[in-house]
Amino acid sequence: MKIIIAKDYEELSQKAFEVMAAVLDQNPNAVLGLATGSTPVGLYEKMAEDHRKTGRSYKGVSAFNLDEYVGLSADNDQSYRYFMRKNLFDKIDIDLNKTEIENGLAPVAEEECLRYNALLAKTPRDIQLLGIGANGHIAFNEPGTPFDTETHVVDLTQNTIEMNARFFKDISEVPRRAFTMGPKNIMDARRILILASGANKADAVYGMVKGTVTEDLPASILQRHPDCVLIADKEAAARL
Ligand code: F6R
């Protein structure tokens, strides 16, 4: 794993943008795996700014998101589909028909997982962007998820529900279940870019980089990826 330590969140976002831009420079029709959460927001701002300033086009780009809450429609302002439009897709010229995410309202969850796995299998991602949970989760793969798992539905842990409550009016509104790519889908991407910001991520980052590879810390699987870049700010990298 290549490790880049940034002095602050601004530098982390800039360095992440450079990694993303290199992929897009090489292939204007790149397939991007994208993430939600607070950490990539600065990167998405930089991508939008670059599009405004340089005119870089995303018309040929396709995107796959990691995860989506079960039960939320695309226009619900807490859905991850909505998050992606607000933070990135509506600010660049990507074709929304080429942006994929699990359907939170799919009537049969198992069929939705199969549909998403089949799409992922036939559309290899050039890069997969990830954040990391304070408990070492990647996407919604909580500790204990078998490494060979593909897209599935998870019951969110209390810890994750509490962390996500900041985006909702009340914790009771946080969905209890989500669709998520599994560790296996994540590892299938050609390149991985994982971002970590803040002191509350320091233990998870340490475990991911220096600990044993174990399903108890899902992000530790990234040690086995041949082309993984971690960009962490000083606080998140404090224990490295
Ligand atoms: C988001 C996702 C999550 C987050 C993680 C970190 O699509 O899959 O695994 O990346 O929970 O979230 P933030 O960035 O809000 O700290």
Side-chain angles (χ1 to χ4, degrees):
M1 188 181 301
K2 182 177 168 197
I3 301 170
I4 299 173
I5 300 180
K7 69 173 188 301
D8 54 20
Y9 181 70
E10 165 62 26
E11 191 176 280
L12 173 149
S13 303
Q14 177 58 32
K15 288 186 181 300
F17 170 71
E18 285 160 19
V19 172
M20 199 55 98
V23 171
L24 295 164
D25 287 345
Q26 214 186 356
N27 180 6
N29 301 326
V31 181
L32 310 179
L34 299 176
T36 58
S38 327
T39 318
V41 169
L43 161 63
Y44 294 157
E45 279 167 8
K46 303 248 175 239
M47 290 167 75
E49 188 189 339
D50 166 69
H51 169 71
R52 266 196 322 274
K53 289 190 177 154
T54 72
R56 180 197 297 279
S57 178
Y58 288 77
K59 286 203 172 107
V61 168
S62 319
F64 283 86
N65 262 82
L66 288 169
D67 39 20
E68 178 61 289
Y69 288 121
V70 169
L72 299 193
S73 66
D75 55 6
N76 183 306
D77 63 5
Q78 295 301 340
S79 74
Y80 286 172
R81 160 72 78 185
Y82 187 96
F83 174 101
M84 288 311 299
R85 288 195 62 163
K86 184 171 82 152
N87 287 287
L88 183 64
F89 297 157
D90 287 351
K91 299 178 178 175
I92 57 177
D93 62 347
I94 196 165
D95 177 355
L96 288 178
N97 294 317
K98 291 190 191 163
T99 62
E100 302 288 348
I101 189 163
E102 297 94 332
N103 174 8
L105 294 184
V108 184
E110 292 70 25
E111 280 175 17
E112 179 58 8
C113 296
L114 292 175
R115 181 193 73 87
Y116 210 58
N117 284 330
L119 264 183
L120 289 167
K122 74 168 192 211
T123 328
R125 279 147 293 146
D126 294 289
I127 187 163
Q128 176 64 58
L129 175 66
L130 296 174
I132 183 170
N135 63 359
H137 74 216
I138 43 173
F140 273 131
N141 297 291
E142 302 289 2
T145 309
F147 282 155
D148 60 359
T149 309
E150 297 190 280
T151 307
H152 61 296
V153 173
V154 288
D155 293 320
L156 303 183
T157 62
Q158 192 54 30
N159 177 281
T160 298
I161 291 167
E162 282 163 18
M163 293 299 287
N164 290 355
R166 67 192 191 276
F167 300 114
F168 292 80
K169 274 198 233 71
D170 188 275
I171 192 164
S172 64
E173 290 178 13
V174 185
R176 276 14 192 192
R177 300 172 79 215
F179 287 102
T180 181
M181 277 188 209
K184 180 167 185 308
N185 307 105
I186 291 170
M187 290 294 280
D188 284 344
R190 293 195 178 111
R191 184 160 222 222
I192 292 191
L193 171 60
I194 181 158
L195 307 180
S197 170
N200 67 326
K201 303 292 174 68
D203 289 345
V205 167
Y206 174 79
M208 164 174 69
V209 175
K210 298 260 166 94
T212 341
V213 176
T214 165
E215 290 170 352
D216 294 336
L217 201 145
S220 64
I221 194 178
L222 301 177
Q223 288 180 30
R224 293 187 182 153
H225 195 283
D227 188 1
C228 177
V229 183
L230 161 69
I231 307 180
D233 64 15
K234 274 199 298 216
E235 286 76 20
R239 293 193 58 201
L240 294 184

